[in-house]
Amino acid sequence: MFWKGARPLTAQEREEIIIELPPLSSPGFDFFLLVVLSTSIATLGLLTNSPAGISGAMLVAPLMHPF
């Protein structure tokens, strides 16, 4: 059930995590900036028929960053 070294959370630890999650899960300015940048790079890559441009857009995409 649990991997080696893991322990069940106490009720207080669970409550603290539940309180911390909503603010951390909402997108911020950085997320939207990266979406706009990756979209514009991908659009330019498609217009110029450049596989490197598409790959660059994937690297800038916010899914690649640990926010």
Side-chain angles (χ1 to χ4, degrees):
M1 184 172 178
F2 294 107
W3 63 86
K4 188 176 181 179
R7 63 174 177 76
L9 296 174
T10 64
Q12 182 179 4
E13 290 172 333
R14 258 186 254 137
E15 185 177 330
E16 290 173 4
I17 291 172
I18 290 171
I19 290 171
E20 290 176 7
L21 278 180
L24 295 175
S25 62
S26 61
F29 176 76
D30 294 340
F31 177 81
F32 290 114
L33 177 66
L34 289 174
V35 167
V36 169
L37 286 174
S38 64
T39 304
S40 60
I41 293 170
T43 302
L44 290 173
L46 286 172
L47 291 175
T48 61
N49 198 19
S50 170
I54 303 299
S55 298
M58 285 188 261
L59 292 175
V60 176
L63 295 176
M64 299 295 292
H65 296 277
F67 289 116

PDB file of all heavy atoms in Angstrom, residues 3-33:
ATOM      1  N   TRP A   3       4.791   2.933  -0.096  1.00  0.00           N
ATOM      2  CA  TRP A   3       6.128   2.545  -0.478  1.00  0.00           C
ATOM      3  C   TRP A   3       7.034   2.606   0.741  1.00  0.00           C
ATOM      4  O   TRP A   3       6.677   3.146   1.779  1.00  0.00           O
ATOM      5  CB  TRP A   3       6.639   3.399  -1.632  1.00  0.00           C
ATOM      6  CG  TRP A   3       6.777   4.855  -1.336  1.00  0.00           C
ATOM      7  CD1 TRP A   3       7.856   5.457  -0.774  1.00  0.00           C
ATOM      8  CD2 TRP A   3       5.824   5.885  -1.560  1.00  0.00           C
ATOM      9  NE1 TRP A   3       7.633   6.791  -0.635  1.00  0.00           N
ATOM     10  CE2 TRP A   3       6.393   7.089  -1.109  1.00  0.00           C
ATOM     11  CE3 TRP A   3       4.561   5.917  -2.100  1.00  0.00           C
ATOM     12  CZ2 TRP A   3       5.728   8.294  -1.182  1.00  0.00           C
ATOM     13  CZ3 TRP A   3       3.912   7.128  -2.163  1.00  0.00           C
ATOM     14  CH2 TRP A   3       4.490   8.283  -1.712  1.00  0.00           C
ATOM     15  N   LYS A   4       8.204   2.063   0.586  1.00  0.00           N
ATOM     16  CA  LYS A   4       9.124   1.930   1.707  1.00  0.00           C
ATOM     17  C   LYS A   4       9.476   3.308   2.281  1.00  0.00           C
ATOM     18  O   LYS A   4       9.874   4.204   1.563  1.00  0.00           O
ATOM     19  CB  LYS A   4      10.388   1.221   1.237  1.00  0.00           C
ATOM     20  CG  LYS A   4      11.328   0.859   2.340  1.00  0.00           C
ATOM     21  CD  LYS A   4      12.498   0.076   1.800  1.00  0.00           C
ATOM     22  CE  LYS A   4      13.427  -0.308   2.916  1.00  0.00           C
ATOM     23  NZ  LYS A   4      14.549  -1.089   2.436  1.00  0.00           N
ATOM     24  N   GLY A   5       9.340   3.471   3.549  1.00  0.00           N
ATOM     25  CA  GLY A   5       9.688   4.714   4.214  1.00  0.00           C
ATOM     26  C   GLY A   5       8.526   5.689   4.373  1.00  0.00           C
ATOM     27  O   GLY A   5       8.670   6.701   5.032  1.00  0.00           O
ATOM     28  N   ALA A   6       7.402   5.405   3.773  1.00  0.00           N
ATOM     29  CA  ALA A   6       6.257   6.311   3.881  1.00  0.00           C
ATOM     30  C   ALA A   6       5.451   5.965   5.127  1.00  0.00           C
ATOM     31  O   ALA A   6       5.379   4.817   5.545  1.00  0.00           O
ATOM     32  CB  ALA A   6       5.378   6.204   2.651  1.00  0.00           C
ATOM     33  N   ARG A   7       4.844   6.986   5.691  1.00  0.00           N
ATOM     34  CA  ARG A   7       3.992   6.760   6.842  1.00  0.00           C
ATOM     35  C   ARG A   7       2.673   7.485   6.611  1.00  0.00           C
ATOM     36  O   ARG A   7       2.633   8.478   5.890  1.00  0.00           O
ATOM     37  CB  ARG A   7       4.649   7.265   8.120  1.00  0.00           C
ATOM     38  CG  ARG A   7       4.897   8.759   8.117  1.00  0.00           C
ATOM     39  CD  ARG A   7       5.426   9.232   9.475  1.00  0.00           C
ATOM     40  NE  ARG A   7       5.721  10.635   9.453  1.00  0.00           N
ATOM     41  CZ  ARG A   7       4.827  11.617   9.499  1.00  0.00           C
ATOM     42  NH1 ARG A   7       3.552  11.332   9.589  1.00  0.00           N
ATOM     43  NH2 ARG A   7       5.190  12.878   9.467  1.00  0.00           N
ATOM     44  N   PRO A   8       1.607   7.006   7.193  1.00  0.00           N
ATOM     45  CA  PRO A   8       0.314   7.698   7.038  1.00  0.00           C
ATOM     46  C   PRO A   8       0.370   9.080   7.684  1.00  0.00           C
ATOM     47  O   PRO A   8       1.045   9.296   8.691  1.00  0.00           O
ATOM     48  CB  PRO A   8      -0.669   6.805   7.773  1.00  0.00           C
ATOM     49  CG  PRO A   8       0.029   5.515   8.017  1.00  0.00           C
ATOM     50  CD  PRO A   8       1.491   5.776   7.960  1.00  0.00           C
ATOM     51  N   LEU A   9      -0.346  10.023   7.095  1.00  0.00           N
ATOM     52  CA  LEU A   9      -0.395  11.376   7.637  1.00  0.00           C
ATOM     53  C   LEU A   9      -1.355  11.435   8.822  1.00  0.00           C
ATOM     54  O   LEU A   9      -2.361  10.741   8.857  1.00  0.00           O
ATOM     55  CB  LEU A   9      -0.870  12.358   6.565  1.00  0.00           C
ATOM     56  CG  LEU A   9       0.019  12.524   5.360  1.00  0.00           C
ATOM     57  CD1 LEU A   9      -0.667  13.413   4.335  1.00  0.00           C
ATOM     58  CD2 LEU A   9       1.363  13.094   5.743  1.00  0.00           C
ATOM     59  N   THR A  10      -1.014  12.291   9.744  1.00  0.00           N
ATOM     60  CA  THR A  10      -1.927  12.515  10.862  1.00  0.00           C
ATOM     61  C   THR A  10      -3.060  13.429  10.390  1.00  0.00           C
ATOM     62  O   THR A  10      -2.980  14.046   9.327  1.00  0.00           O
ATOM     63  CB  THR A  10      -1.191  13.174  12.040  1.00  0.00           C
ATOM     64  OG1 THR A  10      -0.748  14.474  11.635  1.00  0.00           O
ATOM     65  CG2 THR A  10      -0.013  12.341  12.505  1.00  0.00           C
ATOM     66  N   ALA A  11      -4.090  13.535  11.192  1.00  0.00           N
ATOM     67  CA  ALA A  11      -5.230  14.386  10.825  1.00  0.00           C
ATOM     68  C   ALA A  11      -4.807  15.853  10.716  1.00  0.00           C
ATOM     69  O   ALA A  11      -5.257  16.569   9.817  1.00  0.00           O
ATOM     70  CB  ALA A  11      -6.341  14.236  11.855  1.00  0.00           C
ATOM     71  N   GLN A  12      -3.914  16.291  11.566  1.00  0.00           N
ATOM     72  CA  GLN A  12      -3.444  17.678  11.519  1.00  0.00           C
ATOM     73  C   GLN A  12      -2.613  17.927  10.254  1.00  0.00           C
ATOM     74  O   GLN A  12      -2.756  18.968   9.613  1.00  0.00           O
ATOM     75  CB  GLN A  12      -2.617  18.001  12.762  1.00  0.00           C
ATOM     76  CG  GLN A  12      -2.144  19.445  12.789  1.00  0.00           C
ATOM     77  CD  GLN A  12      -1.334  19.760  14.034  1.00  0.00           C
ATOM     78  OE1 GLN A  12      -1.069  18.879  14.850  1.00  0.00           O
ATOM     79  NE2 GLN A  12      -0.940  21.005  14.174  1.00  0.00           N
ATOM     80  N   GLU A  13      -1.752  16.991   9.890  1.00  0.00           N
ATOM     81  CA  GLU A  13      -0.960  17.141   8.672  1.00  0.00           C
ATOM     82  C   GLU A  13      -1.860  17.181   7.434  1.00  0.00           C
ATOM     83  O   GLU A  13      -1.631  17.973   6.522  1.00  0.00           O
ATOM     84  CB  GLU A  13       0.046  15.995   8.552  1.00  0.00           C
ATOM     85  CG  GLU A  13       1.164  16.064   9.566  1.00  0.00           C
ATOM     86  CD  GLU A  13       2.033  14.821   9.555  1.00  0.00           C
ATOM     87  OE1 GLU A  13       1.554  13.732   9.176  1.00  0.00           O
ATOM     88  OE2 GLU A  13       3.211  14.938   9.929  1.00  0.00           O
ATOM     89  N   ARG A  14      -2.877  16.327   7.401  1.00  0.00           N
ATOM     90  CA  ARG A  14      -3.829  16.341   6.285  1.00  0.00           C
ATOM     91  C   ARG A  14      -4.551  17.672   6.181  1.00  0.00           C
ATOM     92  O   ARG A  14      -4.720  18.225   5.104  1.00  0.00           O
ATOM     93  CB  ARG A  14      -4.847  15.211   6.460  1.00  0.00           C
ATOM     94  CG  ARG A  14      -4.542  14.034   5.586  1.00  0.00           C
ATOM     95  CD  ARG A  14      -5.637  13.011   5.663  1.00  0.00           C
ATOM     96  NE  ARG A  14      -5.073  11.922   6.462  1.00  0.00           N
ATOM     97  CZ  ARG A  14      -5.686  11.281   7.405  1.00  0.00           C
ATOM     98  NH1 ARG A  14      -6.925  11.569   7.703  1.00  0.00           N
ATOM     99  NH2 ARG A  14      -5.104  10.329   8.075  1.00  0.00           N
ATOM    100  N   GLU A  15      -4.968  18.217   7.319  1.00  0.00           N
ATOM    101  CA  GLU A  15      -5.674  19.489   7.334  1.00  0.00           C
ATOM    102  C   GLU A  15      -4.776  20.626   6.834  1.00  0.00           C
ATOM    103  O   GLU A  15      -5.210  21.479   6.054  1.00  0.00           O
ATOM    104  CB  GLU A  15      -6.161  19.795   8.747  1.00  0.00           C
ATOM    105  CG  GLU A  15      -7.009  21.040   8.846  1.00  0.00           C
ATOM    106  CD  GLU A  15      -7.519  21.268  10.257  1.00  0.00           C
ATOM    107  OE1 GLU A  15      -7.731  20.290  10.990  1.00  0.00           O
ATOM    108  OE2 GLU A  15      -7.685  22.438  10.610  1.00  0.00           O
ATOM    109  N   GLU A  16      -3.499  20.625   7.242  1.00  0.00           N
ATOM    110  CA  GLU A  16      -2.561  21.649   6.780  1.00  0.00           C
ATOM    111  C   GLU A  16      -2.355  21.575   5.271  1.00  0.00           C
ATOM    112  O   GLU A  16      -2.312  22.605   4.592  1.00  0.00           O
ATOM    113  CB  GLU A  16      -1.222  21.488   7.497  1.00  0.00           C
ATOM    114  CG  GLU A  16      -1.262  21.860   8.958  1.00  0.00           C
ATOM    115  CD  GLU A  16       0.033  21.524   9.683  1.00  0.00           C
ATOM    116  OE1 GLU A  16       0.996  21.059   9.026  1.00  0.00           O
ATOM    117  OE2 GLU A  16       0.088  21.730  10.908  1.00  0.00           O
ATOM    118  N   ILE A  17      -2.252  20.376   4.741  1.00  0.00           N
ATOM    119  CA  ILE A  17      -2.063  20.205   3.301  1.00  0.00           C
ATOM    120  C   ILE A  17      -3.296  20.672   2.539  1.00  0.00           C
ATOM    121  O   ILE A  17      -3.192  21.355   1.514  1.00  0.00           O
ATOM    122  CB  ILE A  17      -1.719  18.739   2.975  1.00  0.00           C
ATOM    123  CG1 ILE A  17      -0.322  18.408   3.506  1.00  0.00           C
ATOM    124  CG2 ILE A  17      -1.798  18.484   1.477  1.00  0.00           C
ATOM    125  CD1 ILE A  17       0.043  16.956   3.412  1.00  0.00           C
ATOM    126  N   ILE A  18      -4.467  20.344   3.027  1.00  0.00           N
ATOM    127  CA  ILE A  18      -5.712  20.748   2.367  1.00  0.00           C
ATOM    128  C   ILE A  18      -5.843  22.268   2.360  1.00  0.00           C
ATOM    129  O   ILE A  18      -6.322  22.861   1.395  1.00  0.00           O
ATOM    130  CB  ILE A  18      -6.919  20.075   3.033  1.00  0.00           C
ATOM    131  CG1 ILE A  18      -6.906  18.577   2.714  1.00  0.00           C
ATOM    132  CG2 ILE A  18      -8.227  20.703   2.599  1.00  0.00           C
ATOM    133  CD1 ILE A  18      -7.919  17.768   3.479  1.00  0.00           C
ATOM    134  N   ILE A  19      -5.392  22.937   3.407  1.00  0.00           N
ATOM    135  CA  ILE A  19      -5.451  24.397   3.472  1.00  0.00           C
ATOM    136  C   ILE A  19      -4.445  25.021   2.501  1.00  0.00           C
ATOM    137  O   ILE A  19      -4.720  26.041   1.874  1.00  0.00           O
ATOM    138  CB  ILE A  19      -5.213  24.888   4.916  1.00  0.00           C
ATOM    139  CG1 ILE A  19      -6.411  24.511   5.788  1.00  0.00           C
ATOM    140  CG2 ILE A  19      -4.964  26.386   4.963  1.00  0.00           C
ATOM    141  CD1 ILE A  19      -6.196  24.749   7.261  1.00  0.00           C
ATOM    142  N   GLU A  20      -3.270  24.410   2.333  1.00  0.00           N
ATOM    143  CA  GLU A  20      -2.218  24.960   1.477  1.00  0.00           C
ATOM    144  C   GLU A  20      -2.478  24.741  -0.011  1.00  0.00           C
ATOM    145  O   GLU A  20      -1.985  25.501  -0.837  1.00  0.00           O
ATOM    146  CB  GLU A  20      -0.872  24.331   1.833  1.00  0.00           C
ATOM    147  CG  GLU A  20      -0.324  24.764   3.172  1.00  0.00           C
ATOM    148  CD  GLU A  20       0.964  24.031   3.521  1.00  0.00           C
ATOM    149  OE1 GLU A  20       1.488  23.298   2.666  1.00  0.00           O
ATOM    150  OE2 GLU A  20       1.430  24.201   4.646  1.00  0.00           O
ATOM    151  N   LEU A  21      -3.217  23.725  -0.386  1.00  0.00           N
ATOM    152  CA  LEU A  21      -3.358  23.369  -1.797  1.00  0.00           C
ATOM    153  C   LEU A  21      -4.078  24.386  -2.687  1.00  0.00           C
ATOM    154  O   LEU A  21      -3.582  24.692  -3.764  1.00  0.00           O
ATOM    155  CB  LEU A  21      -4.038  22.008  -1.922  1.00  0.00           C
ATOM    156  CG  LEU A  21      -3.129  20.807  -1.757  1.00  0.00           C
ATOM    157  CD1 LEU A  21      -3.925  19.535  -1.891  1.00  0.00           C
ATOM    158  CD2 LEU A  21      -1.991  20.834  -2.726  1.00  0.00           C
ATOM    159  N   PRO A  22      -5.234  24.927  -2.327  1.00  0.00           N
ATOM    160  CA  PRO A  22      -5.931  25.834  -3.258  1.00  0.00           C
ATOM    161  C   PRO A  22      -5.116  27.045  -3.725  1.00  0.00           C
ATOM    162  O   PRO A  22      -5.074  27.326  -4.919  1.00  0.00           O
ATOM    163  CB  PRO A  22      -7.186  26.248  -2.498  1.00  0.00           C
ATOM    164  CG  PRO A  22      -7.437  25.120  -1.561  1.00  0.00           C
ATOM    165  CD  PRO A  22      -6.069  24.632  -1.164  1.00  0.00           C
ATOM    166  N   PRO A  23      -4.418  27.771  -2.839  1.00  0.00           N
ATOM    167  CA  PRO A  23      -3.628  28.898  -3.354  1.00  0.00           C
ATOM    168  C   PRO A  23      -2.481  28.456  -4.267  1.00  0.00           C
ATOM    169  O   PRO A  23      -2.125  29.159  -5.201  1.00  0.00           O
ATOM    170  CB  PRO A  23      -3.076  29.573  -2.103  1.00  0.00           C
ATOM    171  CG  PRO A  23      -3.881  29.073  -0.970  1.00  0.00           C
ATOM    172  CD  PRO A  23      -4.415  27.746  -1.378  1.00  0.00           C
ATOM    173  N   LEU A  24      -1.916  27.305  -4.002  1.00  0.00           N
ATOM    174  CA  LEU A  24      -0.797  26.828  -4.810  1.00  0.00           C
ATOM    175  C   LEU A  24      -1.239  26.277  -6.161  1.00  0.00           C
ATOM    176  O   LEU A  24      -0.434  26.179  -7.083  1.00  0.00           O
ATOM    177  CB  LEU A  24      -0.022  25.747  -4.045  1.00  0.00           C
ATOM    178  CG  LEU A  24       0.674  26.200  -2.769  1.00  0.00           C
ATOM    179  CD1 LEU A  24       1.297  25.008  -2.067  1.00  0.00           C
ATOM    180  CD2 LEU A  24       1.711  27.250  -3.078  1.00  0.00           C
ATOM    181  N   SER A  25      -2.497  25.908  -6.301  1.00  0.00           N
ATOM    182  CA  SER A  25      -2.962  25.294  -7.536  1.00  0.00           C
ATOM    183  C   SER A  25      -3.577  26.281  -8.517  1.00  0.00           C
ATOM    184  O   SER A  25      -3.921  25.905  -9.625  1.00  0.00           O
ATOM    185  CB  SER A  25      -3.963  24.189  -7.231  1.00  0.00           C
ATOM    186  OG  SER A  25      -5.091  24.725  -6.591  1.00  0.00           O
ATOM    187  N   SER A  26      -3.731  27.541  -8.136  1.00  0.00           N
ATOM    188  CA  SER A  26      -4.296  28.515  -9.066  1.00  0.00           C
ATOM    189  C   SER A  26      -3.179  29.100  -9.931  1.00  0.00           C
ATOM    190  O   SER A  26      -2.087  29.365  -9.448  1.00  0.00           O
ATOM    191  CB  SER A  26      -5.023  29.622  -8.307  1.00  0.00           C
ATOM    192  OG  SER A  26      -4.122  30.295  -7.472  1.00  0.00           O
ATOM    193  N   PRO A  27      -3.453  29.301 -11.233  1.00  0.00           N
ATOM    194  CA  PRO A  27      -2.417  29.819 -12.126  1.00  0.00           C
ATOM    195  C   PRO A  27      -2.110  31.281 -11.826  1.00  0.00           C
ATOM    196  O   PRO A  27      -2.994  32.073 -11.513  1.00  0.00           O
ATOM    197  CB  PRO A  27      -3.016  29.651 -13.517  1.00  0.00           C
ATOM    198  CG  PRO A  27      -4.479  29.603 -13.296  1.00  0.00           C
ATOM    199  CD  PRO A  27      -4.696  29.016 -11.940  1.00  0.00           C
ATOM    200  N   GLY A  28      -0.851  31.627 -11.948  1.00  0.00           N
ATOM    201  CA  GLY A  28      -0.423  32.993 -11.691  1.00  0.00           C
ATOM    202  C   GLY A  28       0.077  33.669 -12.952  1.00  0.00           C
ATOM    203  O   GLY A  28      -0.094  33.177 -14.084  1.00  0.00           O
ATOM    204  N   PHE A  29       0.720  34.806 -12.772  1.00  0.00           N
ATOM    205  CA  PHE A  29       1.232  35.585 -13.901  1.00  0.00           C
ATOM    206  C   PHE A  29       2.261  34.785 -14.704  1.00  0.00           C
ATOM    207  O   PHE A  29       2.254  34.817 -15.940  1.00  0.00           O
ATOM    208  CB  PHE A  29       1.837  36.890 -13.399  1.00  0.00           C
ATOM    209  CG  PHE A  29       2.477  37.698 -14.484  1.00  0.00           C
ATOM    210  CD1 PHE A  29       1.698  38.421 -15.372  1.00  0.00           C
ATOM    211  CD2 PHE A  29       3.856  37.724 -14.621  1.00  0.00           C
ATOM    212  CE1 PHE A  29       2.282  39.164 -16.384  1.00  0.00           C
ATOM    213  CE2 PHE A  29       4.440  38.464 -15.626  1.00  0.00           C
ATOM    214  CZ  PHE A  29       3.655  39.189 -16.509  1.00  0.00           C
ATOM    215  N   ASP A  30       3.152  34.085 -14.017  1.00  0.00           N
ATOM    216  CA  ASP A  30       4.191  33.312 -14.709  1.00  0.00           C
ATOM    217  C   ASP A  30       3.585  32.270 -15.643  1.00  0.00           C
ATOM    218  O   ASP A  30       4.069  32.067 -16.762  1.00  0.00           O
ATOM    219  CB  ASP A  30       5.106  32.615 -13.709  1.00  0.00           C
ATOM    220  CG  ASP A  30       5.929  33.590 -12.895  1.00  0.00           C
ATOM    221  OD1 ASP A  30       6.074  34.747 -13.342  1.00  0.00           O
ATOM    222  OD2 ASP A  30       6.415  33.193 -11.821  1.00  0.00           O
ATOM    223  N   PHE A  31       2.548  31.598 -15.191  1.00  0.00           N
ATOM    224  CA  PHE A  31       1.894  30.578 -16.011  1.00  0.00           C
ATOM    225  C   PHE A  31       1.353  31.188 -17.296  1.00  0.00           C
ATOM    226  O   PHE A  31       1.581  30.676 -18.392  1.00  0.00           O
ATOM    227  CB  PHE A  31       0.769  29.915 -15.218  1.00  0.00           C
ATOM    228  CG  PHE A  31      -0.015  28.908 -16.006  1.00  0.00           C
ATOM    229  CD1 PHE A  31       0.465  27.625 -16.182  1.00  0.00           C
ATOM    230  CD2 PHE A  31      -1.229  29.247 -16.581  1.00  0.00           C
ATOM    231  CE1 PHE A  31      -0.254  26.700 -16.914  1.00  0.00           C
ATOM    232  CE2 PHE A  31      -1.957  28.337 -17.300  1.00  0.00           C
ATOM    233  CZ  PHE A  31      -1.462  27.051 -17.471  1.00  0.00           C
ATOM    234  N   PHE A  32       0.614  32.304 -17.172  1.00  0.00           N
ATOM    235  CA  PHE A  32       0.019  32.921 -18.355  1.00  0.00           C
ATOM    236  C   PHE A  32       1.079  33.507 -19.279  1.00  0.00           C
ATOM    237  O   PHE A  32       0.941  33.462 -20.501  1.00  0.00           O
ATOM    238  CB  PHE A  32      -1.007  33.975 -17.944  1.00  0.00           C
ATOM    239  CG  PHE A  32      -2.235  33.376 -17.330  1.00  0.00           C
ATOM    240  CD1 PHE A  32      -2.535  33.595 -16.002  1.00  0.00           C
ATOM    241  CD2 PHE A  32      -3.077  32.565 -18.070  1.00  0.00           C
ATOM    242  CE1 PHE A  32      -3.662  33.024 -15.434  1.00  0.00           C
ATOM    243  CE2 PHE A  32      -4.201  31.992 -17.507  1.00  0.00           C
ATOM    244  CZ  PHE A  32      -4.493  32.224 -16.184  1.00  0.00           C
ATOM    245  N   LEU A  33       2.157  34.032 -18.723  1.00  0.00           N
ATOM    246  CA  LEU A  33       3.246  34.538 -19.548  1.00  0.00           C
ATOM    247  C   LEU A  33       3.866  33.406 -20.364  1.00  0.00           C
ATOM    248  O   LEU A  33       4.119  33.560 -21.569  1.00  0.00           O
ATOM    249  CB  LEU A  33       4.309  35.205 -18.676  1.00  0.00           C
ATOM    250  CG  LEU A  33       5.539  35.722 -19.395  1.00  0.00           C
ATOM    251  CD1 LEU A  33       5.156  36.874 -20.323  1.00  0.00           C
ATOM    252  CD2 LEU A  33       6.594  36.159 -18.399  1.00  0.00           C
TER     253      LEU A  33
END
